[in-house]
Amino acid sequence: MSNKVMLTAAITGAGDTTGKSSHVPVTPKEIAEAAIESAKAGATVAHIHARNPETGGISHQVDHYREIVDRIRESETDVIINITSGGGGDFIPSLDTPAAGGDGTDIQTPEQRHKPVGELLPEMCTLDCGTTNFGNMIYMSPTDWLREQAKLVQQSGVKPELECFDTGHLRFANQLVKEGLIDGDPMLQFCLGIPWGAAADIETINYLKSRLPENAHWSAFGIGRMQLPIAEETAIRGGNVRVGLEDNLYLEKGVFARNDQLVEKAVNMLQANNIEIMKPEEARLQYGLRTP
């Protein structure tokens, strides 16, 4: 068991959560402030999505990401910045236009998905390693597109966190490593409990962990009520952990959370298990991250 882990706060995500909780940050200022408060509460990493300040929905605008990143970097609080590279991957099936998709379909090319990462050069970015049935929506990432994204990330010097929502995604992450598209020790993250991907349970963690590439670092997170239980089981097994409003809105049953409160809860859990949390400077050194 590792006695130190990296703790990520996933600040807002891109899901339809803004109407469910007033604590979900929407504007670049709100997202940056939530990241800073999470870092003060003990988070090593802030995982960033941008939202449209007017609608609360997903934003692909580099300027929105730039304001978030600038506000974090200009603050006196150190935190590793991890920007999503998931971008537009939402395909909504439609009986009327099955080939083109229906209302809400939002697809970007690999170059478009990479643009915020390539221009702002955070220490880390996520890279979703496959296509997923996400509820009744399809999150679409064809393998050749992912290879192209991996090349762009590699050229930028940003460290990719290879996100695996199902077992086949881990197989493809291993393939990216074999093809030389991932520099240094690979970092993988198991995304558990999302309908209809890998289950959020110990058996799934153990299965995925047993198939990691050589010299890999790993983390896992669960959604909803499984957020803290998965974080605890992951940390005990030597993995890094993630909490935050992207994955779970509640501090306890019926009580909406802020990001910093979820971080504090995770900190208390880790301390109870005699597990320390890496400082950002420690994690940059441990994982070979670029210095912003």
Side-chain angles (χ1 to χ4, degrees), residues 24 27 35 42 45 82 109-110 112 115 121 130 135 168-170 195 198 202 212 224 236 244 257 276 287 291:
V24 177
T27 68
V45 180
N82 178 338
T109 66
Q112 290 170 328
K115 193 172 182 181
L121 298 178
H169 296 184
L170 178 54
I202 297 171
L212 286 168
I236 288 171
E276 296 181 51
Y287 300 119
T291 300

Side-chain angles (χ1 to χ4, degrees), residues 187-202:
M187 299 183 73
L188 292 94
Q189 178 158 258
F190 309 147
C191 313
L192 307 179
I194 297 164
W196 297 102
D201 55 35
I202 297 171

Side-chain angles (χ1 to χ4, degrees), residues 57-197:
I58 188 172
S59 171
H60 305 310
Q61 296 297 316
V62 175
D63 285 347
H64 290 155
Y65 280 97
R66 180 175 288 107
E67 182 179 346
I68 296 166
V69 170
D70 286 349
R71 286 180 177 273
I72 295 172
R73 286 177 173 167
E74 289 167 4
S75 75
E76 296 181 358
T77 303
D78 188 22
V79 65
I80 291 169
I81 297 175
N82 178 338
I83 291 180
T84 182
S85 74
D90 300 347
F91 185 88
I92 312 296
S94 168
L95 292 177
D96 296 326
T97 56
D103 291 342
T105 293
D106 177 20
I107 302 295
Q108 287 185 298
T109 66
E111 293 80 6
Q112 290 170 328
R113 295 183 188 190
H114 177 72
K115 193 172 182 181
V117 175
E119 289 198 18
L120 301 176
L121 298 178
E123 293 100 315
M124 297 175 65
C125 70
T126 54
L127 182 63
D128 302 329
C129 284
T131 296
T132 308
N133 280 331
F134 202 109
N136 192 44
M137 178 191 80
I138 298 169
Y139 178 79
M140 195 164 69
S141 279
T143 53
D144 283 349
W145 287 28
L146 285 168
R147 285 185 172 94
E148 182 61 28
Q149 271 193 274
K151 290 176 185 176
L152 292 169
V153 173
Q154 188 177 50
Q155 291 164 7
S156 74
V158 174
K159 187 76 171 182
E161 185 175 48
L162 306 175
E163 292 205 309
C164 301
F165 293 79
D166 218 334
T167 55
H169 296 184
L170 178 54
R171 291 181 65 193
F172 186 69
N174 280 325
Q175 185 64 27
L176 290 177
V177 173
K178 289 179 183 177
E179 292 177 12
L181 294 172
I182 307 299
D183 290 337
D185 294 343
M187 299 183 73
L188 292 94
Q189 178 158 258
F190 309 147
C191 313
L192 307 179
I194 297 164
W196 297 102

Side-chain angles (χ1 to χ4, degrees), residues 251-265:
L251 188 64
E252 57 189 62
K253 187 175 181 179
V255 179
F256 287 112
R258 301 188 312 268
N259 278 292
D260 60 298
Q261 291 175 318
L262 293 173
V263 171
E264 288 173 359
K265 198 168 185 179

